[in-house]
Amino acid sequence: MKLIYLLITMTIMTNPPQFNFGSKNNTDTWRIVNDDVMGGKSNSKIEEKENSIIFKGHTSLENNGGFASMRTLIPKGALKECKTLTIRFKSVNTSRSFGISLKSSQKYYIPYYKFTFSPKSDDWQELTIKLSDFDYYKISEKMEDSMPLDALEEVFNIALIISDKEEGNFDIEIDYINFE
């Protein structure tokens, strides 16, 4: 059922992606990918609330691990005309760093783009990020200064990731992620 919903969503999505979360909005297409795909021991899950989702879990550095993520697919070209991303979130983990990544390849060694942020308090915060401020990464290492905007034509995967090289519990509650 989730695959059918994803295919329908991808087919009809012509406007910039808008993810307004909650028990009846946009959560079915998001999936968890943790470092266990490469032998790590981190774990995470998504919990739906009435008007938001909570991404939480535990990152482990065991077996060269250390990341947890929630991801979704979008149609290639959906970000082509976008200039910004706005996320509304809160977290009790103000010492942890989260990232939003944009990928244009399924191969882990192909570079991707990421913007890293840290919650400043446990209250709701809204962060608007210029897509040109996303950095270029390859296997968690920063490669170049920023993403060229023409790269947005190939992006098909959006992820919220924690990979801050720290072990421990994390959580982040998200109201929405919107592109404009």
Side-chain angles (χ1 to χ4, degrees):
M1 186 67 173
K2 285 185 179 185
L3 179 59
I4 293 169
Y5 178 78
L6 176 63
L7 291 173
I8 292 169
T9 301
M10 291 178 68
T11 303
I12 61 172
M13 187 184 290
T14 56
N15 295 321
Q18 310 290 314
F19 301 100
N20 296 309
F21 295 109
S23 60
K24 296 182 176 39
N25 297 309
N26 291 311
T27 54
D28 287 344
T29 63
W30 290 80
R31 64 187 173 94
I32 295 293
V33 177
N34 298 323
D35 58 18
D36 60 340
V37 298
M38 300 162 67
K41 301 285 185 182
S42 298
N43 62 72
S44 67
K45 64 181 179 177
I46 298 170
E47 289 182 4
E48 293 182 39
K49 293 186 76 176
E50 187 175 339
N51 295 307
S52 62
I53 60 169
I54 299 175
F55 173 54
K56 67 183 193 175
H58 181 88
T59 50
S60 170
L61 303 179
E62 192 175 337
N63 292 346
N64 295 315
F67 81 85
S69 69
M70 57 179 255
R71 304 172 186 214
T72 193
L73 299 174
I74 62 169
K76 274 190 177 182
L79 299 181
K80 182 179 170 181
E81 302 297 324
C82 296
K83 303 287 187 244
T84 62
L85 172 152
T86 301
I87 180 171
R88 185 171 186 258
F89 64 94
K90 67 179 178 177
S91 175
V92 297
N93 298 115
T94 57
S95 64
R96 302 295 303 262
S97 295
F98 297 89
I100 298 173
S101 74
L102 306 174
K103 293 180 71 176
S104 57
S105 175
Q106 290 193 30
K107 298 175 182 165
Y108 74 92
Y109 55 86
I110 300 293
Y112 59 95
Y113 309 99
K114 183 170 76 171
F115 184 88
T116 304
F117 64 98
S118 296
K120 306 292 185 221
S121 75
D122 60 359
D123 293 325
W124 283 108
Q125 301 163 63
E126 186 177 82
L127 176 64
T128 298
I129 309 155
K130 292 182 196 173
L131 296 179
S132 60
D133 288 342
F134 275 62
D135 294 320
Y136 197 47
Y137 281 80
K138 183 176 182 181
I139 312 175
S140 297
E141 298 297 323
K142 189 174 173 183
M143 303 295 292
E144 294 180 14
D145 289 338
S146 60
M147 173 178 61
L149 289 180
D150 63 347
L152 291 170
E153 291 182 39
E154 297 299 314
V155 171
F156 69 91
N157 184 298
I158 301 167
L160 179 67
I161 186 166
I162 184 162
S163 59
D164 56 4
K165 298 180 175 45
E166 290 186 34
E167 186 158 334
N169 294 331
F170 69 88
D171 75 273
I172 185 167
E173 185 171 349
I174 306 159
D175 182 4
Y176 55 80
I177 301 173
N178 294 330
F179 289 85
E180 293 184 23

